[in-house]
Amino acid sequence: MADIMRGLLVGRMQPIHEGHMDVIRRILGDVDEVIICIGSAQLSHSIKDPFTAGERTMMINKALTEHGIPASSYYITPIQDIACNSLWVAQVEMLTPPFEVVYSGNSLVQRLFLEADYKVTEPPLFNREIYSGTEVRRRMLVGEDWESLIPKSVIEVIKEIEGIPRLKHLSKKGT
Ligand code: NAD
């Protein structure tokens, strides 16, 4: 049997949206398996990072199932940030299955993996003005349509964990 090729995607996924789904589908068109790293796993309960790593795992898992992506083709791994950028690739390697290609639009992520001799690919951005975590969270706060930007199963998770009241509470002045 030929060697299995794996690609790695790192993102905070706060929350996972249709832009992330587009890039995951592209990666699975290139390689056999995708490793989805939940970046900044230690962060939650802030406006920029409202959801815990466990909640984000649930969202990603359900979104991939909804889109018919077989569980045998992906791994989901939370990765905490560390103070030393120069050691971060080793931290990722310690927590993930082996991989050959890194997919990222983030210049710091690209730089660190290039210096560690990985192949790095920048996937095209899919409608970035609306498919971004910042835009999804902004709409949640002001009561605009955020549901159309994310998979239906992720809407259900956000309702289950009462994500909108959490975000609105966190946005109150004095917190
Ligand atoms: P993100 O969720 O903004 O994006 C992840 C990736 O998804 C992007 O690189 C891009 O390829 C893709 N994407 C996003 N929107 C898209 C769209 N509309 N269409 C197509 N693709 C789209 O996450 P990020 O900020 O790049 O995450 C990097 C993570 O790595 C952070 O958690 C950061 O803290 C972590 N990090 C940590 C260290 C350290 O701890 N020292 C160092 C480097 C990076």
Side-chain angles (χ1 to χ4, degrees):
M1 199 177 111
D3 287 345
I4 292 177
M5 284 274 291
R6 290 185 202 91
L8 181 116
L9 174 71
V10 189
R12 290 177 19 255
M13 319 272 176
Q14 286 282 13
I16 186 166
H17 53 68
E18 295 295 351
H20 295 126
M21 294 308 301
D22 182 69
V23 77
I24 290 167
R25 277 191 294 267
R26 279 175 194 278
I27 295 172
L28 285 172
D30 285 353
V31 295
D32 305 297
E33 296 179 352
V34 59
I35 301 161
I36 302 167
C37 291
I38 301 177
S40 305
Q42 80 284 6
L43 299 181
S44 71
H45 294 82
S46 69
I47 302 291
K48 191 178 167 211
D49 291 281
F51 306 118
T52 68
E55 290 164 346
R56 287 178 274 163
T57 300
M58 192 160 60
M59 292 174 199
I60 295 167
N61 197 291
K62 288 183 188 291
L64 297 179
T65 304
E66 178 188 334
H67 281 249
I69 298 173
S72 56
S73 64
Y74 62 85
Y75 304 86
I76 303 171
T77 310
I79 310 271
Q80 298 198 15
D81 292 331
I82 58 170
C84 303
N85 281 333
S86 60
L87 299 179
W88 183 68
V89 169
Q91 155 102 337
V92 174
E93 288 171 330
M94 178 182 75
L95 295 168
T96 57
F99 55 92
E100 290 72 36
V101 197
V102 175
Y103 295 80
S104 180
N106 178 314
S107 57
L108 173 61
V109 172
Q110 292 172 351
R111 188 71 227 154
L112 296 177
F113 280 107
L114 282 172
E115 290 188 10
D117 288 335
Y118 282 94
K119 183 177 172 203
V120 173
T121 298
E122 181 162 348
L125 287 172
F126 175 57
N127 218 342
R128 179 68 176 170
E129 309 74 53
I130 60 165
Y131 294 129
S132 86
T134 306
E135 177 63 9
V136 175
R137 295 188 305 274
R138 186 194 69 77
R139 290 186 183 197
M140 285 172 166
L141 272 175
V142 298
E144 289 177 17
D145 165 36
W146 52 274
E147 290 96 333
S148 63
L149 307 184
I150 65 179
K152 287 194 174 47
S153 50
V154 179
I155 301 172
E156 294 310 313
V157 175
I158 289 170
K159 288 185 176 159
E160 178 192 333
I161 63 173
E162 300 187 355
I164 307 298
R166 180 191 299 176
L167 200 58
K168 288 188 171 165
H169 193 175
L170 291 167
S171 75
K172 283 185 190 165
K173 293 210 172 14
T175 56

